[in-house]
Amino acid sequence: MKIIEPALQKGRAPAKEKSSAARSLTSTVFQLLRSSILYGQLEPGLKLSAARLATEYSVSLSAIREALSRLAAEGLLDAEDHRGFRVAKVSKADLMDLTQTRCEIECIALRRSIESGDAAWEARVTAAFRALQASEGKARPLDQRRYELHSDFHHALLEACGSEWLLRLRGMLFERAERYRLLSGNYPKVRREVHAEHEQLYEAVMKRDAATATAILTQHTLETTKALLQIEDQALFADDKPVKGSKKSRQIKLVAEAGLLRSF
């Protein structure tokens, strides 16, 4: 998958535009690096050189450092004292913790959206759902356009929750979860009836059935995590140490607000 990078132009901006130009360059570099991390072009654990990145992108060292600091604040980079930054590592434990937290946050937001959403919200959800359904079957599971449509649909479901903090936390958790999926080269081989899952979720939301909708949303999220954990020959978790104990004792149970209990 190739991400087309916007051109970064060399040269100085006029004095009155210098500040805004610097902010624009920093934001551009931030978005490029962010996409590269999410899509696995910068692999987990990779050490990043600010000086090298500044040369590659033809921007100032300060712009790179600010972009790296923002990425670290988002949890996509790990800052090392006096040693720079590394791309955040991934692990099974982190994925399972992330999944549980995401389920809980998204169920709260979905319940509030169903309670408070108006006709305009329903129209946005419907438009996002139809766009996603039209793309399914035509695009590959890891295509960037399909990723964007999938993200738009899930965001639309929750955007009427009335809480900017909930939406901010949900967005961060959703992208971290998607990073695991996008990093997995074997994920496209997993057979999932996501088309039906999205349709069931949409119908429950349109009926304002919060209990059913949150149950479907939770199951939808857990099934993706389960698929990632069960993929064999998974280089994604190559650094994980073996877990001692019986198979039964290694099962991880995720509990979400919807009341579902799932073992992995």
Side-chain angles (χ1 to χ4, degrees):
M1 186 182 309
K2 182 178 181 181
I3 298 176
I4 300 175
E5 300 182 356
L8 295 178
Q9 301 295 330
K10 296 180 180 181
R12 294 184 178 179
K16 63 180 181 180
E17 300 178 2
K18 187 174 181 180
S19 179
S20 60
R23 287 195 299 271
S24 178
L25 278 177
T26 298
S27 295
T28 299
V29 172
F30 168 78
Q31 292 298 340
L32 290 175
L33 290 172
R34 190 167 181 270
S35 294
S36 295
I37 293 170
L38 290 173
Y39 281 88
Q41 293 173 322
L42 295 175
E43 63 184 21
L46 178 68
K47 185 173 178 59
L48 299 180
S49 166
R52 181 176 178 181
L53 289 171
T55 300
E56 289 180 353
Y57 288 119
S58 299
V59 297
S60 68
L61 194 57
S62 61
I64 291 293
R65 286 171 175 163
E66 183 177 344
L68 294 176
S69 295
R70 287 173 60 184
L71 289 166
E74 285 201 4
L76 289 174
L77 294 180
D78 293 327
E80 301 177 326
D81 290 342
H82 308 296
R83 299 180 66 181
F85 298 89
R86 288 186 183 275
V87 178
K89 292 184 178 181
V90 295
S91 69
K92 292 180 181 180
D94 178 67
L95 175 58
M96 291 185 287
D97 184 20
L98 176 62
T99 300
Q100 179 174 339
T101 306
R102 180 187 165 196
C103 285
E104 293 169 351
I105 292 294
E106 290 194 353
C107 283
I108 293 172
L110 184 56
R111 285 185 183 278
R112 291 189 184 182
S113 285
I114 289 174
E115 292 171 359
S116 306
D118 55 14
W121 169 69
E122 287 190 359
R124 291 193 296 274
V125 171
T126 298
F129 169 71
R130 289 176 177 170
L132 176 60
Q133 293 293 81
S135 75
E136 290 179 340
K138 298 179 181 179
R140 292 175 300 173
L142 299 185
D143 278 352
Q144 186 172 359
R145 178 55 181 160
R146 187 184 179 286
Y147 162 75
E148 293 169 351
L149 292 172
H150 184 242
S151 177
D152 290 345
F153 172 61
H154 278 270
H155 174 75
L157 290 171
L158 311 179
E159 66 176 354
C161 70
S163 170
E164 288 299 322
W165 274 109
L166 267 179
L167 290 176
R168 189 179 302 178
L169 289 171
R170 174 264 161 195
M172 182 178 70
L173 293 168
F174 182 86
E175 286 194 335
R176 298 309 172 277
E178 287 291 87
R179 181 189 178 211
Y180 278 88
R181 187 174 66 86
L182 295 169
L183 279 170
S184 175
N186 288 325
Y187 184 79
K189 300 177 183 178
V190 177
R191 298 290 182 179
R192 289 273 315 285
E193 293 297 330
V194 292
H195 182 93
E197 291 172 15
H198 288 145
E199 186 171 11
Q200 293 164 6
L201 177 57
Y202 169 74
E203 290 176 352
V205 168
M206 290 298 104
K207 292 177 182 177
R208 303 290 177 138
D209 185 346
T212 300
T214 52
I216 294 171
L217 178 59
T218 299
Q219 190 72 7
H220 176 64
T221 303
L222 296 179
E223 286 297 329
T224 297
T225 296
K226 180 181 177 182
L228 288 170
L229 291 172
Q230 291 182 343
I231 291 174
E232 295 182 1
D233 190 26
Q234 181 55 277
L236 178 62
F237 301 119
D239 292 336
D240 272 7
K241 295 181 179 179
V243 180
K244 297 181 179 180
S246 66
K247 181 177 180 181
K248 184 176 181 179
S249 69
R250 293 199 302 267
Q251 290 183 328
I252 303 298
K253 295 180 178 180
L254 300 181
V255 185
E257 183 186 290
L260 295 179
L261 189 65
R262 185 73 186 206
S263 296
F264 288 86

